[in-house]
Amino acid sequence: MEAVMYNAIVARRVRTAWSHLNDRDIEFVLRMFAPTFTHRFVGQNAMGGVRDNIDSQRRWFERLFRLLTDIRFTVDDVLVKGWPWRTRVVALLRTSGTVAGHPFNNEFAQTIELRWGQITRVNVVEDTEKMATILGHLIECGVEEASAPQITDRPDPRDLGSYLPNPR
């Protein structure tokens, strides 16, 4: 019974964090990160990359909301396993909004690891083709930041693109 209660509390905290992001309250979410963490967003685009520095993570959120000014997050499900010393979470979400006059929708899975209530690892995997289309609309409209280099603190060792030779 204790595990069920703990898991429900963690799931509620995750849903609350996304509610704060819908309100553009970045600082609420940043306070949830542990001093040492990794945040990975899959994709070879302006939103992709790996961050392990709170200032980089803040800049990433700020970019997200500059590029996708009316993005809304809908949490479909939150699955929790573990205890306070190592909690693993899977959140399934959808996004929606408009960009350059075009409506967009996307979906993603986010895995989170918590240690004693603080985020130590986040891995976000979404439909990268849809993200490329969304950013492509912005680039067509002259939004330079949509094609800017990633806000990243280090290369992503799991990114196959970083292992492929550059085409000549």
Side-chain angles (χ1 to χ4, degrees), residues 29-39 51-57 113-121 153-154:
V29 174
L30 291 175
R31 285 191 299 273
M32 297 176 80
F33 281 84
T36 302
F37 70 89
T38 301
H39 180 275
R51 284 147 301 283
D52 54 21
N53 174 291
I54 204 71
D55 292 328
S56 299
Q57 189 60 47
E113 186 168 308
L114 302 167
R115 303 259 181 188
W116 301 109
Q118 293 189 302
I119 297 170
T120 57
R121 185 173 51 187
D153 294 320
R154 58 187 166 88

Side-chain angles (χ1 to χ4, degrees), residues 26-82:
I26 296 168
E27 295 304 319
F28 179 89
V29 174
L30 291 175
R31 285 191 299 273
M32 297 176 80
F33 281 84
T36 302
F37 70 89
T38 301
H39 180 275
R40 177 177 177 257
F41 191 97
V42 173
Q44 288 294 316
N45 57 56
M47 296 310 305
V50 179
R51 284 147 301 283
D52 54 21
N53 174 291
I54 204 71
D55 292 328
S56 299
Q57 189 60 47
R58 179 180 289 108
R59 289 193 337 265
W60 185 87
F61 278 125
E62 291 167 351
R63 173 179 283 176
L64 172 69
F65 293 129
R66 278 193 306 272
L67 292 176
L68 306 176
T69 57
D70 67 348
I71 190 171
R72 299 295 297 171
F73 303 98
T74 302
V75 180
D76 289 326
D77 204 358
V78 179
L79 309 169
V80 180
K81 182 177 181 178

Side-chain angles (χ1 to χ4, degrees), residues 136-163:
H137 288 310
L138 288 167
I139 292 166
E140 289 171 5
C141 290
V143 179
E144 291 180 18
E145 190 171 21
S147 62
Q150 296 178 344
I151 298 171
T152 191
D153 294 320
R154 58 187 166 88
D156 185 349
R158 293 184 284 179
D159 183 4
L160 182 60
S162 64
Y163 296 107

